[in-house]
Amino acid sequence: MTTTESSDDLTTGVPLTVTQSALATVLAVRAGEDDPAGTALRVAITGANMTEFAYSLDLVPIAEAADDDAVYTQGTHGELTVIVPAASVDNMMGATLDVPSASGGGGLVIRNPNTPDPLAGLDLELT
């Protein structure tokens, strides 16, 4: 498990930053878990749709983190443990978990400066 200290500021080595608004949303949902303090937010890239990544956000026990996952805390007082699977770390670097800016919208949004390579895995011959 790769553990990184972090705060609300984007820190080197932290793949995903959680804004205060998103932190409040996640903590409110996590409060309904059986063991909120032992529960982490796991954020993984699950695929790609040409120009955007697809994500999975889950609340899981902190103990489920794999040895090579990035595990760190977010919030002024480290209120939230975040787990990013090792396979997702490189493509998540610089991303931010936030609430949608459109009024009336609920949920969370990931703003990721990285995009998938739409030609990855294709064997092209250009002549």
Side-chain angles (χ1 to χ4, degrees):
M1 177 180 333
T2 304
T3 305
T4 305
E5 295 291 323
S6 71
S7 66
D8 293 326
D9 297 327
L10 184 61
T11 307
T12 302
V14 175
L16 175 74
T17 301
V18 181
T19 66
Q20 285 295 323
S21 299
L23 178 66
T25 300
V26 173
L27 292 177
V29 172
R30 188 185 75 169
E33 295 291 310
D34 291 338
D35 178 20
T39 301
L41 174 66
R42 182 179 183 274
V43 182
I45 293 175
T46 58
N49 181 6
M50 292 302 285
T51 60
E52 294 185 14
F53 289 112
Y55 303 95
S56 170
L57 283 76
D58 303 293
L59 292 173
V60 300
I62 295 170
E64 287 187 9
D67 289 341
D68 57 350
D69 290 347
V71 180
Y72 55 97
T73 59
Q74 290 278 267
T76 306
H77 304 289
E79 301 93 331
L80 179 65
T81 299
V82 178
I83 300 171
V84 177
S88 298
V89 169
D90 288 344
N91 287 321
M92 293 279 288
M93 292 303 287
T96 302
L97 180 66
D98 201 358
V99 295
S101 55
S103 61
L108 298 167
V109 63
I110 295 178
R111 294 186 176 91
N112 191 343
N114 306 301
T115 57
D117 179 358
L119 302 178
L122 296 178
D123 186 20
L124 298 176
E125 182 179 323
L126 300 176
T127 57

